[in-house]
Amino acid sequence: MRNRSAGAALAIPAWAWLLLFFVAPVAMVVWFSFGYKPGVFGTHANDILSFDRYVEAFSPTFFSTFQNTLWVGIIGTVLCFLIGAPVAYWMAFKVKPQRRGILIALVLVPFWTNFLVRTIGWQVIMAPEGWLSSLLQGIGVLDGPLDLLYTRTAVIIGVVYNYLPLMILPLFVAFDRVGPALREASKDLGAGKLATFFRVTLPLSRPGIIAGVLLVFIPLMGDYITATVLGGAKGNMVGQLVASQFQTAQNWALGSAMAVLLMLVIMLTIGVAAALIWLVTLPFRAQNRLVLGPAVPAKTDAPATTPAEVIS
């Protein structure tokens, strides 16, 4: 009992932090979403509660913007996985342990710079008058200035760059925990490199894959800095609409309703993706299932003998 009480006491600061900086702000946003904007100079009022702000949030503009946000979120997460998985695999299995610390530090180098600053750096690179445009024109790849900035493609490039380390690190930890012994055992049993990867390494790395996908997809869906700096009007995302309602329009009720809808759709998307993955992998999991039970005697063509016949 004393050990349990001590463990619970140690968790009090974490629970207090969670309640103060997560539960309370989210509850406040939900509460504001049922209110309204009282006037030109007011931000919110909750003396009259209604779902009118949610009706406003379902406007055609918000719906099209959300479609674009969901598309960018899914494509960005998939690209981060396709790029990050080989890098993490190489770091975990091909690099000597003495050099892994240096590579992990290089992966974390972008986080040493402010998020906004490194996004503006991509704006400078992709500008029509930037050095990349001049280089491509100089070698004959382009006939005119680079027309990439303020497009959806520019937003995808920016989010992949900004969130790629959040995919590489969990995958590296997951691959590293698999260890060489299991892979060697798989090869000793006759499995090739691809079979070992898809039937041993990848299934055992599932927690890291889930963590990486969540760490990338959830903040990416709410990102508005990358879309504002690199996307302009063509790369508009829901985060920009929410930020504009709080900062420019001063309509906290409508901004809160949009934020609540964004959170609900993120949870719904994750749930649907998890269900689809579960259904797709169900036949493979059933095929590889190991059943433990009583041994079944082998069938023989010899007639059964009685104890008396054995004695005689």
Side-chain angles (χ1 to χ4, degrees), residues 44 53 56 95 102 106 144 161 174 220 237 294:
H44 71 282
R53 305 294 80 75
E56 293 181 31
V95 177
I102 300 176
L106 292 177
Y161 169 76
L220 197 159
M237 295 179 67

Side-chain angles (χ1 to χ4, degrees), residues 71-154:
W71 175 258
V72 172
I74 294 175
I75 296 298
T77 304
V78 171
L79 289 177
C80 283
F81 177 77
L82 294 178
I83 298 173
V87 175
Y89 184 89
W90 174 72
M91 291 172 57
F93 299 135
K94 303 300 181 180
V95 177
K96 296 181 179 179
Q98 297 83 354
R99 300 180 180 178
R100 292 177 185 173
I102 300 176
L103 295 177
I104 294 175
L106 292 177
V107 171
L108 294 175
V109 162
F111 289 105
W112 298 356
T113 308
N114 183 269
F115 190 94
L116 178 60
V117 172
R118 62 176 185 261
T119 306
I120 293 176
W122 275 103
Q123 186 184 42
V124 175
I125 293 174
M126 292 186 289
E129 64 278 2
W131 65 268
L132 181 61
S133 178
S134 302
L135 177 62
L136 295 178
Q137 293 179 69
I139 62 178
V141 177
L142 295 177
D143 297 330
L146 181 65
D147 187 18
L148 184 60
L149 192 60
Y150 303 130
T151 61
R152 182 186 296 177
T153 304

Side-chain angles (χ1 to χ4, degrees), residues 73-87 156-168 171 212-213 216-217 220:
I74 294 175
I75 296 298
T77 304
V78 171
L79 289 177
C80 283
F81 177 77
L82 294 178
I83 298 173
V87 175
I156 293 177
I157 294 174
V159 297
V160 169
Y161 169 76
N162 285 324
Y163 295 100
L164 184 59
L166 297 178
M167 180 68 75
I168 293 177
L171 290 179
V213 170
V216 171
F217 180 75
L220 197 159

Side-chain angles (χ1 to χ4, degrees), residues 136-207:
L136 295 178
Q137 293 179 69
I139 62 178
V141 177
L142 295 177
D143 297 330
L146 181 65
D147 187 18
L148 184 60
L149 192 60
Y150 303 130
T151 61
R152 182 186 296 177
T153 304
V155 175
I156 293 177
I157 294 174
V159 297
V160 169
Y161 169 76
N162 285 324
Y163 295 100
L164 184 59
L166 297 178
M167 180 68 75
I168 293 177
L169 294 178
L171 290 179
F172 166 74
V173 173
F175 288 150
D176 186 57
R177 288 183 176 179
V178 174
L182 293 176
R183 295 186 295 112
E184 291 296 333
S186 175
K187 294 178 183 179
D188 292 341
L189 293 175
K193 293 183 178 180
L194 290 178
T196 299
F197 177 77
F198 285 105
R199 303 189 66 175
V200 177
T201 305
L202 200 61
L204 293 177
S205 306
R206 184 171 54 184

Side-chain angles (χ1 to χ4, degrees), residues 6 8 47 50 82 111 153 212 251 254 266 272 310:
D47 54 329
S50 66
L82 294 178
F111 289 105
T153 304
N251 191 344
L254 182 57
I266 289 175
V272 171
V310 174

